[in-house]
Amino acid sequence: MKSEPETRIVKGKDVSFGITDLQAMENSTSQWDGVRNYKARNYMRDEMKLGDKVLFYHSNCKVPGIAGIATVVREGYPDYTAFDPGHPYYDPKSNQDTPKWFMVDIKLEKKLDRVLPLSELKQYRELREMVLVKQGRLSVQPVRQSEYNFIMALL
DNA sequence: GCCAACGTTGGC
DNA sequence: GCCAACGTTGGC
C-alpha cells in the first residue's frame, strides 16, 4: 500500500500520510481512505483479509521505498469520506446506499530501520515480476508470497 | 462501444 | 518540473 509522506495536496488540503503518521495514530491503526481507483478498490473490498500482511510504501518523495510492515485489522467497508461534500476525497457519485469506494484498516507492525528503496528492489531478479517494479502506478497492489518472503529476508 | 482528448501518477 | 504510462471522460 502506497502512502505519500511528503506531498499530497487535495483541494487545497494537505492529506500527506507517512509511516510516522501511522505510528502516531491510536493503536498505530488507521483507515485507508481516499483511494479512488477501481483496481485498488477491488483489492481492498474483495481480496484483503484480516491478518494479511501489508508492505507500507512511501511514494512520491525523496527516497521512494518500503518503510514498514503492517497488518489488515478490518476488512473492506465503505469509505465514508466520499460522502462528505466538505472532505477532500468527496465523490458525489458515491452514497450510503450504493457506496462506490471502499477501504480497510491497517495496523503498523514494524517500522523498518531504513527505507528499502525502490531503486534497490529493482535490482533483484527475484522481484522482476513484482507489480511495484513492473507497473508502478497503482496505490494498492498484490504482492506474491515469494516476493514477500524475499523482501523479509533482506531486512 | 470506439477512441481522442484530457487528467493523474510517480520516478527521475 | 518533465514526461511516460496509465486511467477516465464524453462525443459520436
Side-chain angles (χ1 to χ4, degrees):
Chain A
M1 301 182 92
K2 293 184 183 177
S3 69
E4 294 183 76
E6 287 174 13
T7 40
R8 179 97 280 227
I9 304 295
V10 179
K11 291 183 195 156
K13 290 183 185 165
D14 181 5
V15 293
S16 63
F17 191 86
I19 195 154
T20 54
D21 297 304
L22 180 57
Q23 204 169 27
M25 303 287 288
E26 194 179 349
N27 293 323
S28 305
T29 298
S30 178
Q31 62 190 26
W32 207 255
D33 56 34
V35 172
R36 300 290 180 265
N37 169 283
Y38 289 110
K39 260 191 198 168
R41 175 204 68 183
N42 293 347
Y43 286 125
M44 292 200 290
R45 189 188 59 185
D46 308 330
E47 308 285 335
M48 297 172 71
K49 299 298 173 195
L50 274 182
D52 280 358
K53 294 287 193 281
V54 172
L55 298 177
F56 189 101
Y57 183 84
H58 276 174
S59 159
N60 202 10
C61 57
K62 264 197 240 79
V63 184
I66 298 167
I69 312 297
T71 310
V72 175
V73 291
R74 181 174 175 186
E75 295 179 2
Y77 64 105
D79 179 347
Y80 59 81
T81 64
F83 306 151
D84 175 5
H87 199 282
Y89 296 146
Y90 176 59
D91 180 354
K93 290 180 181 163
S94 187
N95 56 68
Q96 301 270 3
D97 294 334
T98 51
K100 185 175 172 190
W101 304 114
F102 285 74
M103 60 188 175
V104 298
D105 289 357
I106 67 165
K107 177 182 169 68
L108 182 66
E109 198 169 288
K110 181 183 163 62
K111 181 178 179 292
L112 302 189
D113 297 332
R114 65 165 188 129
V115 171
L116 197 54
L118 177 63
S119 60
E120 183 179 331
L121 298 175
K122 281 180 167 173
Q123 290 171 7
Y124 296 114
R125 289 178 51 83
E126 291 86 345
L127 302 180
R128 251 181 333 186
E129 297 299 314
M130 199 173 173
V131 180
L132 184 70
V133 171
K134 264 193 125 172
Q135 190 192 341
R137 189 186 154 167
L138 184 58
S139 64
V140 178
Q141 51 178 254
V143 178
R144 291 181 182 81
Q145 187 68 54
S146 60
E147 293 161 349
Y148 183 83
N149 293 345
F150 183 81
I151 288 164
M152 287 305 104
L154 293 175
L155 304 178

